[in-house]
Amino acid sequence: MSETLTITDNRTGKQYDVPVHDGTIRATDLRQIKVTPGEFGMMTYDPAFMNTANCKSRITFIDGDKGVLLYRGYPIEQLAEQSDFLETAYLILFGELPQQRQYDDWTHEITLHTMLHTNIAKLMEGFRHDAHPMGMFISTLGALSTFYPEAKEIFSPESRRLQTVRLIAKVPSIAAYAFRHSIGRPFNQPDNDLSYPGNFLSMLFRMTEPRYKPNPVLERAMEVLFVLHADHEQNCSTTTMRTIGSSHADPYSALAGAAAALYGPLHGGANEAVLKMLHEIGSINNIPAFIKRVKAGEGRLMGFGHRVYKSYDPRAKIIKRMADLVFDVTGKNPLLEMALELERIALEDEYFVSRKLYPNVDFYSGLIYQAMGFPVDMFPVLFAIPRTAGWIAQWEEMLNDPDQKIVRPRQIYQGSPPRDYAPRDKRK
Ligand code: ACO
């Protein structure tokens, strides 16, 4: 027997049986609930989609209470331990882990597309010397749609596949170009004999040496950070990707929008905000006073709290462990002790405990990035590189989902009732 939810409308005394599937009712099934036939019908009010499923998805599963994160069913801990970014990206995009042959072809395909058109380099050179790399990254992604106009053939699987490969291959190159521009150094061309993160490090940090050899610990750390950030179901930037994609914009334009959403300090900008916060606190002695201010509502403890995780973010656990390996190579980040003490105090404090506020992925990632030599401005860019895989997978899923249409929410209008236009000299 199919499940239904029975709703009684006290205004009319009528009863409605609304079908329940997957523990969910369709909001449009509520439209039949009306007092008079001419009415629009009942809507739900859900700012920020706190309790609204916007899609059915097979990509990523999160259990926020238990701290579980799965990509296509595989636990994030196993992927971080045993996989690499390109394999994980393949899994997220195509649903299964690749066989050896598929893995080799996929890696080869990505490697063939790492180079940027020289006009893209010229375009990026046009930015001011102090331009924020994320602003450069977002603008360049948008500009890519003019280089690949066939990308608007979004219903062609071949075109989608080509743009997918191009995007995954080129985002590290764009990110590295943005970084090199901001430090006033010439762009480094990709080195296709290196791994995906190894090549990225080479494009960032190679100076006069003919061949850049990435430190294996830092290369692996970059790989793991990329795996951890590859997808996170319906977050703000992914929802933006799906929303822009729903109007059938090309994937470069949609991805530029998703990256813009990621830029904000409540989302991908949070690790930058964590470091700023640690600098502002200044010393361990100032932590109690800082916590007091947060509890009084004068600011937030950045890198803490999550819309979905109401326990320790599993990615934060992996990053915290990895920090020690990285710091063995780079030397300890002096802010680490402050972060550890901040975490210890917060996790014992009733304010944070009762609100289930735990460290999220951004609490420690910034410390690692900084120790590896990245300026804080680069942090959201480092997040956007791997998340490109998730954004594209979600976009593809949306396009192939017969339930999806152009996104167009409703509103509760609270403005003026109809009134007549008055000429300027007659206005009160
Ligand atoms: N510091 C202090 N208090 C907090 C924090 C925080 N970091 N986060 C939430 N709270 C408090 C709120 O003040 C609120 O308290 P109240 O009930 O007394 O009003 C309660 O906890 C619930 O907070 P909401 O804002 O309703 O939680 P929401 O789910 O909307 O916000 C968010 C989630 C945006 C991540 C929030 O926790 C936050 O701002 N954190 C800091 C920024 C951050 O680290 N963002 C990165 C998120 S992970 C990512 O995007 C990769």
Side-chain angles (χ1 to χ4, degrees), residues 162-406:
L162 179 57
Q163 313 321 323
T164 299
V165 169
R166 278 183 177 145
L167 272 165
I168 298 206
K170 289 186 200 306
V171 282
S173 311
I174 298 170
Y177 272 42
F179 172 69
R180 297 290 287 192
H181 181 77
S182 68
I183 58 167
R185 302 250 187 255
F187 299 145
N188 283 330
Q189 290 306 320
D191 180 342
N192 287 346
D193 290 334
L194 294 174
S195 69
Y196 188 85
N199 169 50
F200 179 50
L201 292 171
S202 164
M203 288 190 292
L204 290 163
F205 298 126
R206 187 164 69 79
M207 299 302 281
T208 52
E209 68 272 37
R211 204 75 198 265
Y212 178 86
K213 277 208 193 87
N215 177 295
V217 175
L218 303 187
E219 185 180 6
R220 181 63 201 163
M222 203 79 240
E223 191 91 80
V224 173
L225 284 159
F226 281 174
V227 169
L228 296 182
H229 286 90
D231 193 49
H232 212 232
E233 54 117 310
Q234 309 313 314
N235 53 76
C236 177
S237 54
T238 301
T239 303
T240 306
M241 182 82 194
R242 282 179 174 263
T243 302
I244 300 178
S246 80
S247 76
H248 295 173
D250 69 86
Y252 299 101
S253 304
L255 212 95
L262 187 72
Y263 195 2
L266 295 188
H267 191 12
N271 47 15
E272 183 174 348
V274 169
L275 283 207
K276 283 199 182 117
M277 173 188 75
L278 292 174
H279 277 295
E280 272 163 32
I281 297 172
S283 94
I284 288 193
N285 297 340
N286 298 334
I287 290 178
F290 173 76
I291 294 271
K292 204 168 161 192
R293 284 205 302 280
V294 168
K295 284 159 59 174
E298 298 166 24
R300 291 204 158 187
L301 174 48
M302 299 311 286
F304 256 67
H306 199 276
R307 173 62 58 77
V308 180
Y309 293 118
K310 300 302 170 197
S311 71
Y312 217 103
D313 180 337
R315 301 167 300 172
K317 266 189 203 153
I318 300 169
I319 290 185
K320 195 176 169 185
R321 277 200 306 273
M322 211 177 57
D324 291 330
L325 300 176
V326 171
F327 295 153
D328 281 347
V329 175
T330 62
K332 211 174 231 172
N333 188 325
L335 298 175
L336 177 68
E337 274 180 23
M338 233 197 303
L340 289 169
E341 181 62 4
L342 203 50
E343 178 187 335
R344 191 189 65 74
I345 294 181
L347 292 183
E348 285 175 359
D349 192 298
E350 206 278 325
Y351 174 95
F352 296 92
V353 173
S354 62
R355 288 169 180 78
K356 298 189 174 168
L357 300 171
Y358 292 86
N360 59 48
V361 68
D362 288 319
F363 193 66
Y364 288 105
S365 62
L367 294 174
I368 298 185
Y369 292 143
Q370 195 180 48
M372 287 173 78
F374 291 106
V376 285
D377 280 0
M378 274 299 284
F379 293 0
V381 182
L382 295 171
F383 191 154
I385 293 171
R387 185 54 60 87
T388 296
W391 286 331
I392 301 173
Q394 301 269 353
W395 167 74
E396 172 102 22
E397 190 177 63
M398 181 273 303
L399 286 176
N400 288 317
D401 180 349
D403 278 356
Q404 292 295 333
K405 286 177 184 293
I406 184 167

